[in-house]
Amino acid sequence: MAQNIYDDPGFFAGYSQLPRQVRGLLGAPEWRAIRAMLPDVAGKRVVDLGCGFGWVSRWMREQGASDVLGIDLSQNMIARAAAMTQDAAITYEIADLETLELPKSTFDLAYSALAFHYIRDFDRLARMLYRALVPEGHLVFTVEHPVYMAAVHPDWGQDEDGRKTWPVNRYFIEGERRTDWYVKGVLKYHRTIGTTLNALIGAGFTLRHVEEFCPTREQVKAMPELADELERPMMLLVSAQR
Protein backbone atom coordinates (compact mmCIF):
# COMPACT_ATOMS: atom_id res chain seq x y z
CA MET A 1 0.00 0.00 0.00
CA ALA A 2 1.23 3.48 -0.84
CA GLN A 3 2.01 5.82 2.05
CA ASN A 4 -1.11 7.84 2.88
CA ILE A 5 0.64 11.01 4.03
CA TYR A 6 -2.23 13.25 2.95
CA ASP A 7 -4.43 12.06 5.80
CA ASP A 8 -1.86 13.21 8.34
CA PRO A 9 -3.47 16.31 9.96
CA GLY A 10 -0.26 18.36 9.98
CA PHE A 11 0.59 17.52 6.39
CA PHE A 12 -2.93 18.15 5.12
CA ALA A 13 -3.12 21.52 6.87
CA GLY A 14 0.09 22.69 5.21
CA TYR A 15 -0.71 21.16 1.83
CA SER A 16 -4.12 22.83 1.74
CA GLN A 17 -2.43 26.24 1.77
CA LEU A 18 -0.39 25.66 -1.39
CA PRO A 19 -1.35 28.07 -4.21
CA ARG A 20 -2.38 25.16 -6.42
CA GLN A 21 -4.88 24.07 -3.77
CA VAL A 22 -6.15 27.55 -2.90
CA ARG A 23 -6.37 28.83 -6.49
CA GLY A 24 -6.80 25.53 -8.29
CA LEU A 25 -5.40 25.20 -11.79
CA LEU A 26 -4.59 28.91 -11.92
CA GLY A 27 -2.15 28.31 -9.07
CA ALA A 28 -0.29 25.56 -10.96
CA PRO A 29 2.32 27.19 -13.24
CA GLU A 30 2.72 24.00 -15.27
CA TRP A 31 -0.99 23.85 -16.13
CA ARG A 32 -0.60 25.78 -19.38
CA ALA A 33 1.92 23.23 -20.63
CA ILE A 34 -0.19 20.28 -19.49
CA ARG A 35 -3.33 21.66 -21.09
CA ALA A 36 -1.55 21.84 -24.44
CA MET A 37 -0.79 18.10 -24.17
CA LEU A 38 -4.37 17.03 -23.47
CA PRO A 39 -6.61 15.61 -26.20
CA ASP A 40 -10.12 16.92 -26.83
CA VAL A 41 -12.20 15.44 -24.01
CA ALA A 42 -15.67 16.37 -25.27
CA GLY A 43 -17.88 13.32 -24.91
CA LYS A 44 -15.01 11.26 -23.47
CA ARG A 45 -14.70 9.14 -20.33
CA VAL A 46 -11.90 10.28 -18.04
CA VAL A 47 -10.18 8.85 -14.96
CA ASP A 48 -8.27 11.31 -12.76
CA LEU A 49 -5.66 9.40 -10.77
CA GLY A 50 -4.61 11.07 -7.54
CA CYS A 51 -7.40 13.59 -8.05
CA GLY A 52 -6.76 15.58 -4.87
CA PHE A 53 -9.35 18.32 -4.46
CA GLY A 54 -10.87 17.49 -7.85
CA TRP A 55 -9.74 20.61 -9.73
CA VAL A 56 -8.94 18.70 -12.93
CA SER A 57 -11.97 16.42 -12.63
CA ARG A 58 -14.23 19.46 -12.65
CA TRP A 59 -12.26 21.10 -15.48
CA MET A 60 -12.67 17.96 -17.61
CA ARG A 61 -16.42 18.18 -17.21
CA GLU A 62 -16.36 21.88 -18.09
CA GLN A 63 -14.63 20.86 -21.33
CA GLY A 64 -17.42 18.43 -22.13
CA ALA A 65 -16.20 15.08 -20.76
CA SER A 66 -19.17 12.71 -20.50
CA ASP A 67 -18.15 11.42 -17.08
CA VAL A 68 -15.14 11.55 -14.79
CA LEU A 69 -13.93 9.15 -12.12
CA GLY A 70 -11.63 10.78 -9.56
CA ILE A 71 -9.48 8.42 -7.49
CA ASP A 72 -7.34 9.21 -4.47
CA LEU A 73 -5.91 7.25 -1.56
CA SER A 74 -6.63 10.06 0.89
CA GLN A 75 -9.99 10.26 2.64
CA ASN A 76 -9.26 13.95 3.31
CA MET A 77 -8.74 14.61 -0.40
CA ILE A 78 -11.86 12.78 -1.48
CA ALA A 79 -13.98 14.49 1.17
CA ARG A 80 -12.75 17.93 0.06
CA ALA A 81 -13.26 17.08 -3.63
CA ALA A 82 -16.81 15.88 -3.00
CA ALA A 83 -17.63 18.98 -0.98
CA MET A 84 -16.42 21.20 -3.84
CA THR A 85 -18.28 19.31 -6.56
CA GLN A 86 -21.93 19.57 -7.56
CA ASP A 87 -21.97 17.37 -10.64
CA ALA A 88 -23.54 13.92 -10.81
CA ALA A 89 -21.28 12.99 -13.74
CA ILE A 90 -18.20 13.16 -11.47
CA THR A 91 -17.65 10.23 -9.13
CA TYR A 92 -14.96 10.10 -6.47
CA GLU A 93 -13.51 6.93 -4.98
CA ILE A 94 -10.89 6.11 -2.37
CA ALA A 95 -8.40 3.62 -3.81
CA ASP A 96 -4.69 2.81 -3.74
CA LEU A 97 -2.99 3.27 -7.12
CA GLU A 98 -0.48 0.64 -6.02
CA THR A 99 -3.17 -2.05 -6.27
CA LEU A 100 -5.90 -0.35 -8.35
CA GLU A 101 -7.56 -2.39 -11.10
CA LEU A 102 -9.77 -0.48 -13.53
CA PRO A 103 -12.22 -2.15 -15.91
CA LYS A 104 -10.73 -3.02 -19.29
CA SER A 105 -11.33 -0.74 -22.29
CA THR A 106 -13.34 1.77 -20.26
CA PHE A 107 -11.64 5.17 -20.44
CA ASP A 108 -10.63 7.51 -23.26
CA LEU A 109 -8.19 9.47 -21.07
CA ALA A 110 -6.25 8.62 -17.94
CA TYR A 111 -4.80 11.71 -16.27
CA SER A 112 -2.59 12.15 -13.23
CA ALA A 113 -0.80 15.11 -11.66
CA LEU A 114 2.13 14.60 -9.30
CA ALA A 115 0.98 11.22 -8.00
CA PHE A 116 2.94 8.50 -9.79
CA HIS A 117 6.19 9.24 -7.95
CA TYR A 118 4.49 7.87 -4.83
CA ILE A 119 4.01 4.49 -6.55
CA ARG A 120 6.59 1.75 -6.05
CA ASP A 121 5.51 -0.51 -8.94
CA PHE A 122 5.11 1.85 -11.88
CA ASP A 123 5.43 -1.00 -14.40
CA ARG A 124 2.30 -2.68 -13.02
CA LEU A 125 0.42 0.62 -13.03
CA ALA A 126 1.39 1.35 -16.65
CA ARG A 127 0.23 -2.08 -17.81
CA MET A 128 -3.06 -1.73 -15.94
CA LEU A 129 -3.73 1.71 -17.44
CA TYR A 130 -2.98 0.41 -20.93
CA ARG A 131 -5.67 -2.25 -20.47
CA ALA A 132 -8.13 0.27 -19.00
CA LEU A 133 -7.92 2.61 -21.99
CA VAL A 134 -9.85 2.15 -25.22
CA PRO A 135 -7.84 1.82 -28.45
CA GLU A 136 -6.17 5.18 -29.22
CA GLY A 137 -6.94 6.33 -25.68
CA HIS A 138 -4.53 8.75 -24.01
CA LEU A 139 -2.45 8.81 -20.85
CA VAL A 140 -1.21 12.24 -19.70
CA PHE A 141 0.63 12.67 -16.43
CA THR A 142 3.14 14.70 -14.47
CA VAL A 143 5.67 13.52 -11.91
CA GLU A 144 8.47 15.12 -9.99
CA HIS A 145 11.45 15.25 -12.33
CA PRO A 146 14.10 12.58 -11.58
CA VAL A 147 16.76 15.31 -11.40
CA TYR A 148 14.65 17.08 -8.76
CA MET A 149 14.11 14.04 -6.54
CA ALA A 150 17.24 11.92 -7.05
CA ALA A 151 19.42 13.47 -4.34
CA VAL A 152 19.47 12.11 -0.81
CA HIS A 153 19.14 15.67 0.53
CA PRO A 154 17.37 17.69 -2.18
CA ASP A 155 17.72 21.35 -1.35
CA TRP A 156 19.32 24.50 -2.72
CA GLY A 157 23.01 25.19 -2.17
CA GLN A 158 25.52 27.61 -3.68
CA ASP A 159 28.38 27.08 -6.08
CA GLU A 160 31.76 28.86 -6.00
CA ASP A 161 30.23 31.92 -7.67
CA GLY A 162 27.39 32.18 -5.17
CA ARG A 163 24.85 30.92 -7.71
CA LYS A 164 22.01 28.73 -6.50
CA THR A 165 22.58 25.10 -7.37
CA TRP A 166 20.63 21.87 -6.94
CA PRO A 167 22.38 18.60 -6.02
CA VAL A 168 22.14 15.54 -8.24
CA ASN A 169 23.49 12.37 -6.72
CA ARG A 170 22.49 8.69 -6.61
CA TYR A 171 20.69 9.33 -9.89
CA PHE A 172 21.10 5.76 -11.13
CA ILE A 173 20.29 4.24 -7.74
CA GLU A 174 16.56 3.97 -8.08
CA GLY A 175 14.03 3.32 -5.34
CA GLU A 176 12.92 4.91 -2.10
CA ARG A 177 13.51 8.54 -1.29
CA ARG A 178 12.36 10.02 2.02
CA THR A 179 12.13 13.76 2.47
CA ASP A 180 10.74 16.13 5.07
CA TRP A 181 7.84 18.13 3.64
CA TYR A 182 5.40 19.43 6.29
CA VAL A 183 6.10 16.18 8.16
CA LYS A 184 9.11 13.91 8.36
CA GLY A 185 9.64 10.87 6.18
CA VAL A 186 7.48 11.53 3.12
CA LEU A 187 8.05 8.45 0.94
CA LYS A 188 8.54 8.72 -2.82
CA TYR A 189 10.14 6.48 -5.45
CA HIS A 190 12.88 7.76 -7.72
CA ARG A 191 13.12 6.43 -11.27
CA THR A 192 15.31 7.71 -14.08
CA ILE A 193 13.70 9.29 -17.13
CA GLY A 194 14.67 6.20 -19.13
CA THR A 195 13.03 3.84 -16.65
CA THR A 196 9.82 5.87 -16.64
CA LEU A 197 9.53 6.12 -20.41
CA ASN A 198 10.57 2.52 -21.05
CA ALA A 199 7.91 1.30 -18.62
CA LEU A 200 5.32 3.01 -20.83
CA ILE A 201 6.81 1.60 -24.01
CA GLY A 202 6.98 -1.86 -22.46
CA ALA A 203 3.31 -1.65 -21.54
CA GLY A 204 2.46 -0.94 -25.18
CA PHE A 205 2.11 2.83 -25.18
CA THR A 206 3.34 5.13 -27.93
CA LEU A 207 4.99 8.26 -26.58
CA ARG A 208 3.38 11.43 -27.96
CA HIS A 209 5.12 14.23 -26.09
CA VAL A 210 7.64 14.59 -23.29
CA GLU A 211 8.39 17.92 -21.65
CA GLU A 212 10.55 19.09 -18.77
CA PHE A 213 8.55 21.94 -17.33
CA CYS A 214 10.13 25.37 -17.51
CA PRO A 215 8.21 28.59 -16.79
CA THR A 216 7.84 31.13 -19.56
CA ARG A 217 9.41 34.57 -19.39
CA GLU A 218 5.98 36.04 -18.79
CA GLN A 219 5.36 33.68 -15.87
CA VAL A 220 8.67 34.57 -14.25
CA LYS A 221 7.90 38.25 -14.64
CA ALA A 222 4.52 37.77 -12.96
CA MET A 223 5.92 35.44 -10.27
CA PRO A 224 9.64 36.15 -9.73
CA GLU A 225 9.98 33.13 -7.43
CA LEU A 226 9.55 30.94 -10.50
CA ALA A 227 13.04 31.98 -11.61
CA ASP A 228 14.34 29.10 -9.48
CA GLU A 229 12.70 26.71 -11.94
CA LEU A 230 15.16 27.87 -14.62
CA GLU A 231 18.01 26.32 -12.61
CA ARG A 232 16.77 22.74 -12.67
CA PRO A 233 13.69 20.86 -13.89
CA MET A 234 11.11 20.17 -11.18
CA MET A 235 8.49 18.30 -13.21
CA LEU A 236 8.38 15.81 -16.04
CA LEU A 237 5.28 15.96 -18.25
CA VAL A 238 4.39 12.96 -20.41
CA SER A 239 1.73 12.22 -23.00
CA ALA A 240 1.31 8.70 -24.36
CA GLN A 241 -1.30 6.90 -26.44
CA ARG A 242 -2.60 3.34 -26.49
Side-chain angles (χ1 to χ4, degrees):
M1 181 176 178
Q3 182 190 49
N4 186 8
I5 197 68
Y6 290 86
D7 279 347
D8 179 283
F11 185 96
F12 188 72
Y15 181 83
S16 297
Q17 299 306 310
L18 289 174
R20 66 182 61 238
Q21 302 310 328
V22 175
R23 301 181 59 214
L25 301 179
L26 294 177
E30 76 279 9
W31 174 243
R32 186 190 322 191
I34 297 169
R35 189 175 57 195
M37 297 168 62
L38 290 170
D40 180 9
V41 298
K44 303 298 177 62
R45 296 160 295 175
V46 179
V47 59
D48 183 4
L49 302 156
C51 64
F53 290 1
W55 294 107
V56 168
S57 294
R58 292 186 290 276
W59 182 88
M60 294 288 180
R61 279 285 292 150
E62 291 170 2
Q63 306 308 305
S66 61
D67 55 85
V68 181
L69 171 61
I71 295 174
D72 205 287
L73 177 62
S74 166
Q75 185 174 359
N76 283 344
M77 293 291 195
I78 292 297
R80 183 70 65 87
M84 298 172 69
T85 302
Q86 291 79 42
D87 187 337
I90 301 177
T91 304
Y92 295 112
E93 294 182 3
I94 298 174
D96 185 357
L97 299 187
E98 201 75 80
T99 57
L100 177 69
E101 287 292 340
L102 294 170
K104 294 181 179 179
S105 302
T106 300
F107 299 98
D108 300 285
L109 169 64
Y111 175 84
S112 181
L114 300 175
F116 289 170
H117 49 255
Y118 293 111
I119 303 305
R120 180 184 61 81
D121 193 349
F122 182 65
D123 291 273
R124 188 210 73 86
L125 181 63
R127 293 192 300 268
M128 185 277 293
L129 292 176
Y130 184 86
R131 295 191 299 269
L133 289 169
V134 300
E136 300 187 1
H138 291 79
L139 168 63
V140 178
F141 68 92
T142 69
V143 292
E144 288 187 357
H145 197 287
V147 166
Y148 174 78
M149 65 181 299
V152 177
H153 302 292
D155 200 359
W156 291 109
Q158 287 188 341
D159 63 16
E160 293 83 355
D161 299 320
R163 185 183 182 90
K164 296 183 75 169
T165 185
W166 190 265
V168 179
N169 52 54
R170 295 173 61 87
Y171 183 82
F172 290 107
I173 303 175
E174 300 181 313
E176 290 189 9
R177 296 293 190 274
R178 291 186 181 270
T179 57
D180 296 342
W181 184 39
Y182 297 121
V183 296
K184 291 184 176 298
V186 178
L187 176 61
K188 301 173 185 177
Y189 293 91
H190 164 66
R191 287 175 283 271
T192 67
I193 294 177
T195 294
T196 299
L197 300 184
N198 285 329
L200 298 173
I201 294 170
F205 284 103
T206 298
L207 297 177
R208 304 297 298 178
H209 188 79
V210 178
E211 186 166 338
E212 298 166 292
F213 171 69
C214 177
T216 64
R217 184 178 301 177
E218 292 76 16
Q219 285 179 307
V220 173
K221 185 177 180 180
M223 298 178 63
E225 62 270 26
L226 287 177
D228 284 351
E229 307 309 319
L230 302 176
E231 301 292 339
R232 53 93 179 96
M234 184 180 181
M235 298 181 202
L236 183 68
L237 286 55
V238 180
S239 172
Q241 191 168 16
R242 190 188 194 284

